[in-house]
């Protein structure tokens, strides 16, 4: 089973491809609107893992190894120009492991890795939300303000979504950091000023020899949405995009 990667805009003249990996429970739609807001010399692509949105009928993956086995062959054919990875929360951990895998395979290295809303793997505390009863998991989702209340209150809809959310959480919660070679590419970490774990974000700098910087945004865990213009401006600036060349 492979992941799907798809362009959010067709920009054959763009200097850089930006591959975007969503958070647990999310899909390609998490990046809706990014193409219109990013400069024309960045071509955004979205990763769609099995078990969500238009792939709801396929079984979700619940281990990091499975995700990488699905994602590596899906991404490699599209690394024919300079590229960057962006991941939020679970997506950040996946983006980091994907970068490690490509570097090990000598298949390419991003010009920058963006890790957003995610504690670095060596600093993660053990959790097992994916093993809890439905009621506890729903309350945890409510506390994260990640899911609309109308969705959380709909038993039939949650019956469809919870297996995918559990699988995504299991990808993160069963992963164990064992060290390994440092990245060669620069890493930028994003965090929310009201999100837990902000103090640990500088730890991402320990995982690369390519340089590190950190940018904090107002908001909680999903500052990705609430502070989207500022997030996209930071991404554009670090990818060397030309200001003012917004695609229409």
């Amino acid at each position: 089973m492979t992941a799907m990667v798809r362009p959010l805009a067709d920009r054959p003249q763009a200097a850089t491809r930006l591959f975007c990996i969503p958070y647990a429970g999310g899909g390609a739609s998490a990046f809706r609107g990014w193409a219109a807001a990013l400069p024309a010399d960045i071509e955004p692509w979205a990763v769609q893992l099995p078990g969500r949105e238009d792939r709801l009928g396929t079984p979700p993956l619940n281990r990091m190894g499975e995700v990488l086995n699905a994602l590596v062959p899906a991404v490699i054919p599209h690394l024919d120009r300079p590229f960057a990875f962006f991941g939020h929360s679970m997506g950040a951990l996946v983006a980091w492991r994907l970068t490690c895998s490509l570097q090990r395979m000598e298949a390419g290295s991003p010009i920058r890795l963006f890790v957003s809303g995610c504690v670095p793997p060596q600093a993660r505390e053990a959790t097992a939300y994916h093993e809890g009863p439905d009621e506890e998991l729903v309350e945890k989702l409510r506390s994260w303000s990640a899911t609309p209340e109308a969705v959380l209150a709909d038993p039939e809809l949650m019956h469809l979504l919870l297996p995918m959310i559990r699988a995504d959480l299991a990808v993160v919660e069963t992963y164990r950091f064992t060290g390994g070679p440092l990245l060669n590419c620069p890493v930028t970490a994003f965090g929310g000023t009201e999100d837990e774990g902000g103090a640990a974000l500088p730890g991402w700098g320990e995982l690369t020899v390519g340089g590190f910087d950190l940018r904090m945004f107002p908001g909680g865990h999903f500052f990705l949405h609430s502070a989207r213009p500022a997030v996209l401006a930071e991404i554009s600036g670090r990818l060397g995009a030309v200001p003012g060349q917004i695609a229409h």
Side-chain angles (χ1 to χ4, degrees):
M1 187 181 302
T2 62
M4 293 177 63
V5 291
R6 60 187 65 160
L8 298 174
D10 185 18
R11 297 177 181 170
Q13 305 306 316
T16 305
R17 281 196 176 124
L18 175 64
F19 294 92
C20 304
I21 307 175
Y23 42 81
S29 66
F31 306 104
R32 184 185 297 118
W34 278 40
L38 285 168
D41 55 354
I42 297 175
E43 183 180 66
W45 288 55
V47 168
Q48 189 78 303
L49 295 173
R52 68 211 64 227
E53 296 181 353
D54 58 348
R55 304 195 69 193
L56 193 59
T58 57
L61 309 175
N62 62 11
R63 293 295 184 272
M64 182 64 76
E66 295 177 352
V67 172
L68 294 175
N69 288 340
L71 196 49
V72 168
V75 167
I76 284 180
H78 306 293
L79 304 184
D80 54 345
R81 71 177 74 172
F83 65 94
F85 291 138
F86 173 92
H88 186 78
S89 197
M90 177 193 80
L93 188 64
V94 171
W96 169 70
R97 286 296 297 125
L98 176 60
T99 304
C100 293
S101 296
L102 293 175
Q103 180 173 297
R104 184 182 68 252
M105 298 166 61
E106 299 184 353
S109 183
I111 60 174
R112 187 169 295 272
L113 168 64
F114 296 94
V115 286
S116 174
C118 183
V119 170
Q122 74 274 25
R124 294 194 65 85
E125 297 182 1
T127 57
Y129 300 128
H130 72 282
E131 295 180 344
D134 288 354
E135 296 78 10
E136 288 185 9
L137 184 51
V138 168
E139 285 306 311
K140 178 55 64 175
L141 294 173
R142 182 174 282 114
S143 73
W144 289 336
S145 301
T147 309
E149 185 60 34
V151 174
L152 294 173
D154 187 326
E156 292 184 4
L157 190 52
M158 291 307 296
H159 179 75
L160 288 174
L161 296 178
L162 281 177
M164 177 264 291
I165 294 171
R166 286 186 185 280
D168 284 357
L169 291 174
V171 168
V172 176
E173 293 179 330
T174 62
Y175 175 74
R176 296 294 177 263
F177 177 74
T178 57
L182 300 179
L183 297 181
N184 296 320
C185 67
V187 174
T188 293
F190 291 162
T193 55
E194 299 171 29
D195 194 13
E196 297 179 1
L201 292 177
W204 282 106
E206 302 169 4
L207 304 179
T208 183
V209 296
F212 171 77
D213 65 334
L214 169 64
R215 171 73 162 87
M216 300 297 290
F217 300 88
H221 189 58
F222 285 90
F223 65 87
L224 170 73
H225 298 312
S226 60
R228 188 178 77 175
V231 169
L232 295 182
E234 292 289 339
I235 291 173
S236 300
R238 282 165 174 75
L239 294 182
V242 179
Q245 292 188 352
I246 301 299
H248 297 285

